[in-house]
Amino acid sequence: MTDSRDWFPSEEEANPMRAAQAGMKPTLPKRFYKEAGVEERDGLFFLTLDGRTAKTPSKQALAVPTRVLAEALAEEWQGQGAEIDPSTMPITRIVNSAIDGVAPRKAEVVDDLVRYAGSDLVYYRAGEPERLAKSQEDAWSPVLDWAKDAHGARFTLGEGVMHVTQPDEAVAAIRGAIEKVRSPVALAALHVMTTLSGSVLIALAHAAQQMDVDQAWAAAHVDELYQESVWGQDHEAMERRRRREADFKAASAVYRLAQQ
């Protein structure tokens, strides 16, 4: 089978031409299969391409813990045209990352997520203007209330951007919540949601079904939305946010499907 490394390269892979090619349309690999399917073996669900097991960039079997997630993978692959475009395959990218990167380094991923709990977006509030302060309060206080009620985690708020040291016991409580996410695939999805939102608390609250995906994304962008309401919309910024939102929603779907 054609090596999927060609269209899912590592983010860390050295590429001296990357900057020079940034403005060029990438060359996409040709589709080499007709049918994408799912095969169950030993309690796992494998993506198959014309009956052969698909591989991750590190040449591991592309297998997930639930049939519904495997079917979502197969749908992405079946939906490709004459060329394979990884930009249209966010679920595959997340699962590849989970298998090749998260599974062998779960402790490091947990530690990275815990670091967000020490300086989460929702701790830092604007003193003014009043409309922005109210928008932050409305979006973020329910997240903090959930963290307190569900995990006994009480955090300290600050005004502006000066760092506020959080109680060790509160951060430890969030670590406990993260460590309960056993599936590497779900953990990878949680990490994607956290990095895209800037908030592990928003990601965890959404994962716990305390807010839907649109509410979670809006909560993570209160400040940006306020600035746009004052200064108007910037097309390039909106396009970047649209792409990031699509990836956030894909991660949300992966998290849910990995545990069904």
Side-chain angles (χ1 to χ4, degrees), residues 36-38 47 69-80 89 91:
V38 174
L47 173 71
L69 179 54
E71 289 172 346
L73 282 169
E75 184 177 350
E76 280 192 341
W77 285 82
Q78 191 62 35
Q80 296 301 296
M89 305 171 77
I91 292 175

Side-chain angles (χ1 to χ4, degrees), residues 218-235:
H221 293 82
V222 169
D223 291 1
E224 285 186 34
L225 294 172
Y226 171 78
Q227 293 298 331
E228 286 180 359
S229 73
V230 174
W231 302 106
Q233 296 177 332
D234 177 86
H235 177 72

Side-chain angles (χ1 to χ4, degrees), residues 22-165:
M24 299 172 60
K25 182 179 179 180
T27 300
L28 300 176
K30 300 295 184 183
R31 178 169 175 159
F32 59 91
Y33 59 93
K34 291 182 179 180
E35 297 293 331
V38 174
E39 181 179 323
E40 182 179 3
R41 298 196 304 271
D42 301 323
L44 291 174
F45 298 88
F46 294 75
L47 173 71
T48 61
L49 303 175
D50 291 341
R52 301 177 64 184
T53 302
K55 302 290 186 179
T56 69
S58 292
K59 301 186 184 302
Q60 299 190 71
L62 194 48
V64 293
T66 66
R67 179 175 291 277
V68 286
L69 179 54
E71 289 172 346
L73 282 169
E75 184 177 350
E76 280 192 341
W77 285 82
Q78 191 62 35
Q80 296 301 296
E83 297 175 323
I84 300 172
D85 184 356
S87 70
T88 65
M89 305 171 77
I91 292 175
T92 301
R93 296 199 309 270
I94 293 168
V95 172
N96 279 341
S97 172
I99 296 171
D100 288 348
V102 174
R105 293 189 289 273
K106 284 185 66 177
E108 294 173 36
V109 176
V110 169
D111 287 345
D112 191 48
L113 287 168
V114 171
R115 279 191 283 273
Y116 278 87
S119 57
D120 203 274
L121 168 73
V122 301
Y123 308 150
Y124 298 95
R125 306 299 178 87
E128 56 181 23
E130 182 178 350
R131 183 160 64 90
L132 174 57
K134 185 178 187 306
S135 293
Q136 292 175 339
E137 174 72 16
D138 291 345
W140 297 345
S141 288
V143 175
L144 290 166
D145 290 343
W146 167 79
K148 179 183 65 176
D149 295 340
H151 300 292
R154 298 173 181 270
F155 293 99
T156 303
L157 305 187
E159 186 172 308
V161 296
M162 293 296 293
H163 178 72
V164 177
T165 301

